[in-house]
Amino acid sequence: MDKKEILLINGGGPLRGEVIISGAKNSALPILAACVLGTEEIILDGVPDLKDVEIMIEVLRHLGSKVEYIGDESLRIDSSGINTCETPFELMDKMRASFVVMGPLLSRFKEAHTKAPGGCNIGARPIDLHLKGFEALGAKALVNDEAISITTDGELIGNEIYLDFPSVGATQNIMMAATLAKGETIIENAAKEPEIVDLASFLSKMGAKIKGAGTSTIVVDGVEKLTGTRHTIIPDRIEAASYMLAAVMTKGDVTIKNVIGSHIRPVIAKLIEMGASVEEIEEEDIIKVSANQKLKPTNIQTLPYPGFPTDAQAQFMALMTVCDGESKIQETVFENRFMHVEQLNKMGAAIATSGNRATIVGVDKLHGADVKATDLRAGAALVMAGLTASGQTRISDIYHIDRGYSKLVEKFTKLGGDIKRVTID
C-alpha cells in the first residue's frame, strides 16, 4: 500500500511573529509560460516553491526550454531551442493552468497541441473563451474529448476580441498570443487582476507593446520578436490573505512582509469591519494584523477583481465559523466551491448551504477531526481551522495545499503553530 503524507495540527494557541509572503502562484505560472516567447535568456526572481511551478517547469523542459535554479527562488530560462509544440498529456492533466502555454506556442510557432486541462475540481472552467480569442486572431481550433490542436496557415492577425466573462486565463492566453500577431489586438472585458498587470509588465520588458493591463480594455500592438529580461514576480495576495485570516482567527498578532495592500483591499476592509486591527506600512510592503477578541459576523460576495477574491472565500468561511453571530457568503465565480463545508462541519462548525449561498453561525470553539483537503483553498481553510481548534486535526490529501502554499509548515511553525507533516501507511 502506498504511503501518504498528512498534516497533524494541535490547535489552541495564538499565532505571533513575522511571515514573508512568497511570489504569486497565479503570476508565476503564466509568466513561466510566457518564457516560451523569449528568444534570449530570461531570469525570474521570487519564484515560489510549489508543486504547480514544478509542473510548469516540466512543461517548459518537455518543449525544449533549458530551465535551471540559480539560488532558492530564481530561475534561468532559455527557450531559444524549443523543438516541439505539443504539451504532454500527463502534465496538462495534473494542472489546468498549464493551458496558458498554448497562447505563447501559437504566437511564436503558429501551432499548439495538448490535452483537455485538469486541475482542482471546483467547477466548470471552460476553455472556450481562450479558443474564441485564438480563432479571432486567425487560428483554427480542433477540439475533441481528448485533445486540442490549434493551428494557423500563415500569421496571426490582430483583431477586436470581447470576452463574455473577464476570465484571467483567457485574458493571459490571448494577450500572449497577440504579442507577435500582425497589427493591433484589443481585448474588451479583460480581467483586471494584479497578475495580469505583472504578466504585461514582464512581456513589455521582453519587447512587447501592451497598454491598459489592469483595466477592462487591453491593447496589444504586435512586434516582430521578444527577447530576454530579468523580472521579479509580485507577492502572492491569496497567501497573504490566508496568513492575515489565520492571525485573527487564532487571536494572534502577525506581521506580514512582502505584501501589497492594494491587491487585497476587500479582505482588509472586511477584517477591519469585523473588528480586527490592520495596520499597513505601504512604503515597506508590510501589514500588521491582530485581534484579541471574537470578531463580529459579516457578509461577503465573491466577484472578479477588484471584488472579493473567490480564492479567499474558503479561508474567510473558516474565520466566520468562530465569529460572534451569523455570517453569509455568496459565491458568484465558481459553482462548486463549497466542498470545504462538509469538512469544517466535521470540526464542529455550523454551516448550511443552498446553491451558491452559505450561512455560517459562529460557534464557541472548533474541535479537532480527521478531514481532507478537497481543493487548494479548502486545504488552507482546514489548516486555519486546525490551528484554532481544541485537540488534534489530521488533514489528508495535502497535495492540494502543496500546489499553492510555499513552505506552509515552516511558516506556521515559525509563528508558533503546532503543525507537522507526517507520513502514514
Side-chain angles (χ1 to χ4, degrees):
M1 192 173 168
D2 285 345
K3 293 185 184 302
K4 63 176 184 176
E5 289 189 317
I6 63 168
L7 290 178
L8 275 188
I9 305 173
N10 293 298
L15 297 175
R16 299 191 190 284
E18 296 179 352
V19 63
I20 299 170
I21 299 305
S22 300
K25 169 180 101 95
N26 291 339
S27 236
L29 299 178
I31 284 173
L32 281 165
C35 291
V36 165
L37 290 160
T39 55
E40 295 172 15
E41 182 180 278
I42 292 164
I43 293 177
L44 294 181
D45 299 309
V47 180
D49 177 16
L50 300 172
K51 200 75 195 157
D52 276 10
V53 168
E54 278 178 34
I55 293 170
M56 189 60 91
I57 290 171
E58 278 185 64
V59 169
L60 290 179
R61 284 178 174 151
H62 173 88
L63 294 171
S65 299
K66 291 179 184 160
V67 187
E68 61 173 342
Y69 272 94
I70 46 168
D72 280 354
E73 296 186 334
S74 296
L75 285 175
R76 180 186 284 118
I77 299 155
D78 178 358
S79 296
S80 59
I82 285 181
N83 52 28
T84 178
C85 293
E86 187 169 329
T87 310
F89 280 12
E90 65 275 13
L91 294 179
M92 188 62 82
D93 203 37
K94 282 183 192 171
M95 185 182 68
R96 202 180 281 254
S98 46
F99 193 73
V100 290
V101 296
M102 298 298 272
L105 283 172
L106 181 64
S107 191
R108 185 170 160 197
F109 300 104
K110 312 305 178 234
E111 61 176 308
H113 312 279
T114 190
K115 182 186 170 159
C120 268
N121 180 25
I122 56 172
R125 290 196 275 185
I127 52 166
D128 56 346
L129 291 177
H130 303 240
L131 300 180
K132 177 179 154 183
F134 296 152
E135 286 172 340
L137 296 172
K140 293 186 181 69
L142 284 172
V143 182
N144 58 37
D145 290 343
E146 287 297 311
I148 300 162
S149 283
I150 306 159
T151 54
T152 175
D153 293 337
E155 54 192 349
L156 296 174
I157 307 292
N159 202 348
E160 286 191 31
I161 300 163
Y162 176 83
L163 297 179
D164 297 330
F165 176 81
S167 156
V168 175
T171 301
Q172 291 166 335
N173 235 340
I174 296 164
M175 186 162 73
M176 290 189 281
T179 55
L180 302 176
K182 193 172 170 112
E184 184 180 80
T185 299
I186 300 172
I187 308 168
E188 297 276 11
N189 198 27
K192 303 175 188 173
E193 272 73 359
E195 295 80 11
I196 301 282
V197 179
D198 201 24
L199 174 61
S201 164
F202 171 68
L203 291 167
S204 297
K205 287 181 189 175
M206 290 163 71
K209 292 185 177 171
I210 301 171
K211 292 189 300 233
T215 75
S216 57
T217 304
I218 297 175
V219 181
V220 184
D221 205 359
V223 296
E224 287 288 317
K225 69 168 191 168
L226 297 183
T227 56
T229 191
R230 185 164 195 154
H231 181 79
T232 301
I233 288 161
I234 58 169
D236 194 310
R237 61 196 169 99
I238 304 302
E239 187 195 13
S242 301
Y243 283 98
M244 289 168 68
L245 294 169
V248 299
M249 193 171 172
T250 60
K251 299 190 180 71
D253 186 344
V254 175
T255 298
I256 319 272
K257 294 187 164 181
N258 193 35
V259 55
I260 300 171
S262 60
H263 291 176
I264 46 171
R265 197 56 64 214
V267 174
I268 293 170
K270 281 291 171 190
L271 283 176
I272 292 169
E273 179 191 309
M274 295 166 78
S277 166
V278 183
E279 181 194 344
E280 289 185 70
I281 308 170
E282 283 182 35
E283 61 276 12
E284 296 179 39
D285 292 340
I286 287 174
I287 298 179
K288 296 183 175 183
V289 192
S290 63
N292 54 17
Q293 78 286 330
K294 272 194 172 228
L295 297 189
K296 294 179 285 198
T298 190
N299 299 331
I300 62 170
Q301 178 184 28
T302 64
L303 289 165
Y305 190 87
F308 191 94
T310 179
D311 278 353
Q313 179 258 103
Q315 304 90 303
F316 226 92
M317 186 183 286
L319 170 61
M320 290 167 164
T321 64
V322 291
C323 285
D324 195 11
E326 182 180 285
S327 299
K328 286 185 163 60
I329 292 176
Q330 184 177 3
E331 173 59 63
T332 73
V333 180
F334 292 126
E335 79 280 4
N336 193 22
R337 203 158 205 177
F338 282 153
M339 291 190 292
H340 43 280
V341 169
E342 182 185 347
Q343 306 301 315
L344 287 169
N345 282 345
K346 282 185 191 173
M347 300 179 70
I351 308 166
T353 60
S354 174
N356 68 340
R357 294 169 190 270
T359 303
I360 304 100
V361 179
V363 296
D364 281 343
K365 193 86 177 157
L366 297 174
H367 56 74
D370 283 13
V371 291
K372 69 175 179 181
T374 51
D375 61 70
L376 167 56
R377 306 305 174 185
L382 294 173
V383 169
M384 289 166 48
L387 289 163
T388 313
S390 58
Q392 188 174 79
T393 298
R394 293 158 55 98
I395 305 176
S396 59
D397 290 4
I398 61 171
Y399 58 88
H400 283 300
I401 300 172
D402 293 338
R403 288 188 44 236
Y405 288 89
S406 179
K407 299 181 170 60
L408 176 132
V409 170
E410 294 92 318
K411 288 180 181 181
F412 273 122
T413 300
K414 196 176 164 212
L415 293 172
D418 184 347
I419 174 171
K420 56 181 180 281
R421 183 186 287 260
V422 298
T423 304
I424 58 167
D425 289 329

